[in-house]
């Protein structure tokens, strides 16, 4: 796909995204969650796909955003929207700081060691939150009621998450074309070589994680208000659901690509909702089977598979000289 | 000619094995120097010590007058001292052009310089160097899909892209077919003459190294066995014995 076709596709998606919640009011909550899933997959892919560091701990940044926002809304006494946006921003900043600190430590590990260490981060964060009275400990926190009609509430979150998705998408589309994006890819393909060429690999990896953390923090800050409840293990630091889904969605669509995580998140979310609806009681089993099928038949993801199948469509061809 | 790289009394042990035993070499600015020796004689260990892969047990290494003994790999690379690998290392999932763009003048650049799209100038440079290495028509292929010999050429092109002042090449012709080798010797000489890059080359192919180098060091069993012009080395009985196993 060339640049013009991609822009056209993005515009069509944007128009659908704006019209859809108006046409189908019953699905507004689901559409809002769909954008959250897209955000999960896109932010995960910055480090996981583009840089080759499979993190199972990104949910930490999401949870930090959720709690930061809930605390600001509880204690600041400000108007709902002011407190919400202030809380989201604060969550994003704290998440960035945490990513910088954690990154300088765990990003020294590579491959499986990094993946396992980050898995531990998510669990540790959940246990810490579940033991801290200030943020409700094990019983979690409730977020304030939206000042207005519930239907309008979901419409607001649809557009809020879509706006965030659009910003992140455009930012990444630009970032992956810069030399910074190439440096991340270089680290993914051969980190020793990247070091031997003089790249500041440690710095780049940490910055990549900080970018992901910032947007996950913002997302988390708003999701707390969408779900109306912040629970340390089930929503905020939900490693077994959100934490794993992020990885799955990016892999399903094709990690290391711009569109792959978007595609993967949409396919995943729609499939999951259909399973809930039509296979109640068996939805987790069906989801498990789908995950196995993805790994066996599409290890490169949908876009990765397409790239192997039609390399010339992705520009990989020998030129007659 | 002043020495650009000076290695003094470099010693490196791995457990009980002395891989490099107080080796001293000098590489003058703008020269092509060869490093030969039988397998296991410590050539690659010396390379690794120079570029900062591991610390020396004793001795010192100076590059352009600066002490680099305790610097690490990326820091040394940013000073303009680059190496290529015996087993090629390229960025397999990126296209050749992306490999080249990622290697462009990283030396000394900060993160904000990176937050710009690849410039037209970089792209032109990359295309010119790929042309120079005979890979121009393959520039949009993924580097991992190239043959081993082509990957070696790409790695060489990437090294040139970074504009180093000295290049350490670890067996640049190993695994490359004889016809391509002649082209490679030609390109190495041109890189040295036209771009002014000093070369320190590990090589097993005697025809190549005798053709290429002005001065050769021969290692055996971790010790410096002989040094001199290609002519001296060729006629040195100790060198012949080392290669034939009499040492």
């Amino acid at each position: 796909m060339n640049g013009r076709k991609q822009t056209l596709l993005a515009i069509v998606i944007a128009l659908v995204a704006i019209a859809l919640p108006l046409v189908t009011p019953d699905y507004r909550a689901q559409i809002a969650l769909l954008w959250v899933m897209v955000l999960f997959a896109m932010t995960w892919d910055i480090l996981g796909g583009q840089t080759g560091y499979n993190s199972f701990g990104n949910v930490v940044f999401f949870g930090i955003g959720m709690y930061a926002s809930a605390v600001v809304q509880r204690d600041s006494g400000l108007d709902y929207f002011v407190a919400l946006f202030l809380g989201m921003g604060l969550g994003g900043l704290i998440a960035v700081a945490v990513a910088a600190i954690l990154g300088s430590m765990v990003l020294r590990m590579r491959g499986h060691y990094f993946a396992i260490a980050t898995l531990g981060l998510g669990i540790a964060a959940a246990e810490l939150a579940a033991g801290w009275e200030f943020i409700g400990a094990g019983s979690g926190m409730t977020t304030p009621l939206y000042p207005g009609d519930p239907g309008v509430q979901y419409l607001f979150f649809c557009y809020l998450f879509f706006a965030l998705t659009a910003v992140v998408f455009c930012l990444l589309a630009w970032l992956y074309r810069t030399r910074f994006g190439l440096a991340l890819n270089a680290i993914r393909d051969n980190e020793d070589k990247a070091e031997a060429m003089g790249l500041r690999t440690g710095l780049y990896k940490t910055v990549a994680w900080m970018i992901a953390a910032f947007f996950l923090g913002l997302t988390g800050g708003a999701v707390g208000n969408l779900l109306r409840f912040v629970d340390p293990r089930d929503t905020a630091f939900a490693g077994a659901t959100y934490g794993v889904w992020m990885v799955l969605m990016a892999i399903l669509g094709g990690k290391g690509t711009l569109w792959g995580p978007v595609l993967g998140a949409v396919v995943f979310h729609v499939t999951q909702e259909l399973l809930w609806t039509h296979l109640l009681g068996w939805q987790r089993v069906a989801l498990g089977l789908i995950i196995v099928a993805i790994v066996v038949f599409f290890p490169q993801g949908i876009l990765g598979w397409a790239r192997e199948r039609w390399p010339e469509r992705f520009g990989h061809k020998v030129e007659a000289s | 000619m002043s020495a650009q790289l000076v290695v003094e009394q470099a010693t490196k042990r791995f457990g009980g094995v002395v891989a490099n035993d107080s080796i001293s070499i000098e590489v003058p600015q703008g020269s092509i120097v060869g490093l030969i020796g039988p397998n296991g004689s410590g050539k690659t260990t010396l390379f690794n010590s120079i570029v900062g892969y591991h610390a020396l047990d004793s001795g010192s290494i100076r590059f352009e007058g600066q002490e680099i003994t305790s610097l690490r790999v990326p820091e040394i690379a940013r000073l303009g001292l680059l190496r290529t690998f015996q087993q090629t290392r390229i960025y397999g999932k990126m296209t050749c052009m992306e490999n080249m763009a990622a290697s462009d003048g990283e030396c000394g650049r900060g993160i904000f310089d990176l937050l710009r799209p690849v410039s037209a100038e970089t792209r032109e440079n990359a295309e010119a160097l790929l042309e120079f290495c005979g890979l121009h028509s393959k520039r949009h292929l993924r580097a991992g899909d190239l043959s081993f010999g082509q990957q070696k050429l790409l790695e060489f092109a990437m090294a040139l892209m970074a504009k180093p002042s000295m290049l350490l090449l670890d067996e640049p012709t190993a695994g490359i077919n004889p016809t391509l080798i002649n082209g490679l010797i030609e390109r190495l000489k041109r890189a040295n003459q036209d771009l002014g890059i000093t070369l320190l080359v590990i090589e097993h192919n005697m025809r190549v190294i005798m053709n290429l180098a002005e001065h050769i060091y021969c290692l055996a069993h971790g010790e410096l066995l002989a040094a001199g012009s290609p002519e001296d080395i060729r006629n040195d009985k100790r060198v012949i014995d080392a290669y034939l196993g009499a040492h």
Side-chain angles (χ1 to χ4, degrees):
Chain A
M1 259 195 322
N2 61 33
R4 193 177 296 165
K5 276 188 197 158
Q6 289 199 34
T7 314
L8 201 66
L9 181 62
I11 292 171
V12 170
I13 291 175
L15 290 176
V16 171
I18 292 166
L20 203 60
L22 297 174
V23 186
T24 58
D26 296 344
Y27 291 102
R28 279 173 189 170
Q30 285 314 318
I31 295 168
L33 270 178
L34 172 69
W35 295 121
V36 173
M37 294 296 156
V38 174
L39 282 164
F40 278 168
M42 282 197 306
T43 53
W44 183 84
D45 200 55
I46 302 171
L47 197 70
Q50 299 287 343
T51 321
Y53 276 74
N54 297 306
S55 163
F56 285 92
N58 280 16
V59 77
V60 169
F61 309 126
F62 174 75
I64 286 172
M66 230 178 190
Y67 274 110
S69 177
V71 168
V72 170
Q73 286 178 312
R74 183 190 67 188
D75 297 345
S76 70
L78 292 166
D79 169 66
Y80 179 85
F81 292 104
V82 177
L84 173 63
F85 288 120
L86 206 65
M88 283 170 68
L90 184 69
L93 292 180
I94 297 175
V96 167
V98 171
I101 295 164
L102 290 179
S104 64
M105 293 186 283
V106 294
L107 280 166
R108 285 161 196 246
M109 286 178 269
R110 293 189 187 178
H112 307 305
Y113 302 101
F114 174 78
I116 291 165
T118 53
L119 194 61
L121 290 180
I123 296 167
E127 294 308 315
L128 281 175
W132 192 7
E133 282 300 333
F134 176 66
I135 54 169
S139 47
M141 295 176 78
T142 49
T143 49
L145 207 57
Y146 182 85
D149 184 67
V152 179
Q153 174 197 349
Y154 287 131
L155 194 63
F156 167 73
F157 282 111
C158 270
Y159 288 147
L160 179 64
F161 288 122
F162 169 67
L164 203 52
T165 304
V167 168
V168 173
F169 183 86
C170 294
L171 180 82
L172 294 183
W174 165 77
L175 192 72
Y176 294 158
R177 276 208 313 272
T178 64
R179 306 232 331 262
F180 181 70
L182 287 178
L184 295 184
N185 291 162
I187 292 170
R188 172 195 66 195
D189 284 2
N190 197 326
E191 189 165 352
D192 289 330
K193 174 69 178 172
E195 281 190 352
M197 295 300 287
L199 268 65
R200 299 168 200 268
T201 54
L203 175 68
Y204 302 161
K205 288 184 288 188
T206 310
V207 169
W209 215 20
M210 285 159 68
I211 296 170
F214 179 68
F215 289 105
L216 274 173
L218 290 186
T219 308
V223 170
N225 281 259
L226 176 69
L227 301 178
R228 298 264 2 263
F229 183 63
V230 182
D231 181 90
R233 294 186 188 88
D234 289 341
T235 58
F237 302 109
T241 51
Y242 297 154
V244 175
W245 292 354
M246 292 177 189
V247 188
L248 274 178
M249 293 185 293
I251 290 176
L252 170 63
K255 63 182 201 167
T257 60
L258 179 63
W259 286 93
V262 182
L263 183 64
V266 173
V267 171
F268 181 85
H269 189 62
V270 171
T271 312
Q272 207 197 13
E273 288 308 316
L274 290 176
L275 293 178
W276 272 106
T277 318
H278 298 290
L279 287 170
L280 194 60
W282 289 86
Q283 76 274 14
R284 291 280 154 127
V285 178
L287 194 61
L289 287 176
I290 289 173
I291 292 169
V292 172
I294 293 167
V295 174
V296 172
F297 296 109
F298 294 100
Q300 313 263 13
I302 299 169
L303 281 190
W305 171 79
R307 194 208 275 257
E308 297 277 303
R309 183 98 203 251
W310 300 287
E312 64 287 349
R313 291 235 176 146
F314 290 80
H316 304 305
K317 57 187 167 200
V318 181
E319 258 180 34
S321 50
Chain B
M1 270 195 295
S2 61
Q4 193 176 9
L5 179 73
V6 181
V7 179
E8 263 175 13
Q9 307 285 316
T11 298
K12 178 68 194 171
R13 293 185 203 88
F14 295 108
V17 180
V18 186
N20 283 159
D21 189 3
S22 61
I23 290 180
S24 300
I25 66 169
E26 283 192 5
V27 182
Q29 181 103 39
S31 64
I32 303 182
V33 172
L35 187 61
I36 63 170
N39 292 322
S41 60
K43 305 183 294 295
T44 301
T45 301
L46 185 61
F47 259 36
N48 285 340
S49 300
I50 293 172
V51 300
Y53 259 84
H54 41 52
L56 283 179
D57 290 309
S58 66
S60 87
I61 302 166
R62 283 194 310 279
F63 178 65
E64 295 177 344
Q66 186 182 349
E67 182 71 39
I68 60 166
T69 319
S70 57
L71 292 185
R72 296 194 54 248
V73 176
E75 295 162 336
I76 291 174
R78 287 198 287 273
L79 290 176
L81 176 56
L82 278 190
R83 64 95 54 99
T84 65
F85 293 87
Q86 191 172 358
Q87 301 297 322
T88 59
R89 295 190 184 176
I90 38 98
Y91 309 129
K93 286 181 183 154
M94 298 160 71
T95 67
C96 294
M97 281 299 277
E98 287 170 339
N99 269 268
M100 296 294 284
S103 311
D104 180 33
E106 286 306 331
C107 310
R109 295 260 186 109
I111 194 156
F112 293 104
D113 296 313
L114 287 182
L115 292 177
R116 267 185 238 134
V118 178
S119 68
E121 191 193 341
T122 300
R123 226 172 289 131
E124 274 166 30
N125 274 345
E127 292 208 8
L129 282 171
L130 286 173
E131 181 82 66
F132 178 70
C133 290
L135 291 170
H136 192 260
S137 64
K138 309 240 157 95
R139 67 188 186 281
H140 295 304
L141 290 187
R142 291 169 115 186
D145 294 339
L146 299 178
S147 74
F148 181 73
Q150 289 168 335
Q151 290 185 8
K152 282 221 129 157
L153 288 168
L154 176 63
E155 197 182 18
F156 177 55
M158 285 160 70
L160 295 183
M161 192 75 193
K163 302 189 186 71
S165 54
M166 181 184 283
L167 201 49
L168 272 53
L169 299 157
D170 198 344
E171 297 200 33
T173 68
I176 293 192
N177 78 57
T179 2
L180 215 58
I181 286 182
N182 288 334
L184 189 65
I185 296 176
E186 185 56 32
R187 289 186 180 105
L188 290 175
K189 280 186 168 169
R190 272 173 56 194
N192 175 251
Q193 279 159 15
D194 302 350
L195 308 172
I197 300 170
T198 311
L199 300 177
L200 176 59
V201 188
I202 291 181
E203 189 52 70
H204 273 304
N205 187 327
M206 286 303 145
R207 185 175 67 82
V208 170
I209 200 72
M210 295 297 163
N211 244 310
L212 197 61
E214 298 146 17
H215 192 88
I216 295 176
Y217 289 96
C218 178
L219 301 187
H221 302 287
E223 293 164 18
L224 190 62
L225 190 67
S229 68
E231 199 61 30
D232 298 339
I233 293 289
R234 208 190 323 238
N235 299 323
D236 194 312
K237 176 136 194 334
R238 291 169 304 167
V239 175
I240 297 166
D241 285 347
Y243 268 90
L244 297 179
H247 188 67

